[in-house]
Amino acid sequence: MSISMSSASVPIFVSMLGNLSKCLAKARAHAEAKKFDPNVLVTVRLAPDMLPFKNQIQIACDSAKLCVARLTGTDAPVFEDNEATLSELEARIAKTLAWLESVPREKLDGTEEKQVSVPRRNSEPLKYSGEQYLKHYALPNFFFHVTTAYALLRHNGVDLGKADFLGGR
Amino acid sequence: MSISMSSASVPIFVSMLGNLSKCLAKARAHAEAKKFDPNVLVTVRLAPDMLPFKNQIQIACDSAKLCVARLTGTDAPVFEDNEATLSELEARIAKTLAWLESVPREKLDGTEEKQVSVPRRNSEPLKYSGEQYLKHYALPNFFFHVTTAYALLRHNGVDLGKADFLGGR
């Protein structure tokens, strides 16, 4: 009756990335209504030394993808970080969703004790058990980038609310 | 071997709120170094129709507190939303952490199927099982407010990085 690794990962990634994709569609509609180029939003930042919007989307996608790849030992497709339009960023989310849905969910179950290693640029990799990795690295990091993307759209005037972030109900 | 309700809730709230408190301390130090009133940060917003920094902290605290209260059926202390300084917001986090630590963790286990009701202002309450509530409402909502608080500090020049958000390693 306790929580499975599959149920604590893919359905959350899928629902949040789906919500995020709808936020991007609203951002495009907002730009059209205001008659500005929607792709201006691709490079907006909250601070000059923070990553721009496009990277927030790319990393949100990759953090979900890499979580599932690392836990299941599946090779994930490598997506070039070459998106330059909101539509291309929506396509990045769609490709990520399609891959997440393609991995058999049962491969995630039983990975609680699996050794997971997260490479870092300038230091030794982080080592986790699968369960610690999911709860204390993959999900917080995923939510960080999804929320930052949402915050960037709100900061730039797109009419979104918490229900767009949380989705559905 | 699967994930328990207690391990998927309190340790995440505790570590993230602890990291957030350290971000607030860095914000105070930044203000002192730059010789501006640190409490200016209490009311900053990312958009005129978004809640200010203090509410982001209050709601981050309350979303953790209410999650544990609802799942365990424990009465949580009500904190007045009257913080006006960064130090008072740090105290709010500390009070929340103390209460979270005071609830016996085993009370959370076995709450996967418990009926949880989340009141809403203008519509029927949301109904969840305990497990769905934790994974699809409480944690996303908690991360939303913690990340937005972090984003507000970064947007206002506080020198933070992802390691401050994720903590520890």
Side-chain angles (χ1 to χ4, degrees), chain B residues 110-121:
Chain B
T111 60
E112 287 87 346
E113 300 297 323
K114 179 166 181 161
Q115 287 296 303
V116 173
S117 180
V118 180
R120 291 192 289 182
R121 235 168 303 166

Side-chain angles (χ1 to χ4, degrees), chain B residues 13 17 29 35 48 60 66 74 109 134 136 138 140 146 155-156:
Chain B
F13 297 142
L17 288 175
K35 300 193 195 310
L66 288 169
T74 309
D109 290 322
L134 175 61
H136 291 280
V146 174
H155 183 60
N156 282 280

Side-chain angles (χ1 to χ4, degrees), chain A residues 1-3 5 7-8 11-12 15 46-47 49-50 112-113 120 126-128 131 135-137 140-141 143-145 147-148 150-151 154-155 162 165-166 169, chain B residues 1-3 5 7-8 11-12 15 46-47 49-50 112-113 120 126-128 131 135-137 140-141 143-145 147-148 150-151 154-155 162 165-166 169:
Chain A
M1 284 292 300
S2 44
I3 304 169
M5 291 290 285
S7 86
I12 293 161
S15 65
L46 285 174
D49 58 347
M50 276 182 90
E112 287 87 346
E113 301 296 325
R120 290 191 290 183
L126 295 172
K127 305 267 187 195
Y128 294 95
E131 181 176 342
K135 294 187 303 190
H136 292 280
Y137 183 91
N141 192 48
F143 279 115
F144 178 90
H145 291 287
T147 307
T148 302
Y150 171 96
R154 287 288 268 115
H155 183 61
K162 180 86 79 65
F165 176 82
L166 290 174
R169 323 261 301 234
Chain B
M1 284 284 299
S2 44
I3 304 170
M5 291 289 287
S7 85
I12 293 161
S15 66
L46 284 175
D49 59 347
M50 275 183 90
E112 287 87 346
E113 300 297 323
R120 291 192 289 182
L126 295 172
K127 307 268 188 193
Y128 294 95
E131 181 177 342
K135 294 186 303 191
H136 291 280
Y137 183 92
N141 192 48
F143 279 116
F144 178 91
H145 292 287
T147 306
T148 303
Y150 172 95
R154 286 289 267 114
H155 183 60
K162 181 85 78 66
F165 176 83
L166 289 175
R169 325 261 300 237

Side-chain angles (χ1 to χ4, degrees), chain B residues 23-33 36 38-39 41 86-87 90:
Chain B
C23 291
L24 268 72
K26 285 198 178 182
R28 271 195 295 111
H30 169 79
E32 282 159 25
F36 71 83
N39 302 323
L41 295 169
L86 285 191
S87 300
E90 288 172 81

Side-chain angles (χ1 to χ4, degrees), chain B residues 71-82:
Chain B
L71 287 172
T72 61
T74 309
D75 283 335
V78 176
F79 301 131
E80 277 188 73
D81 291 331
N82 58 3

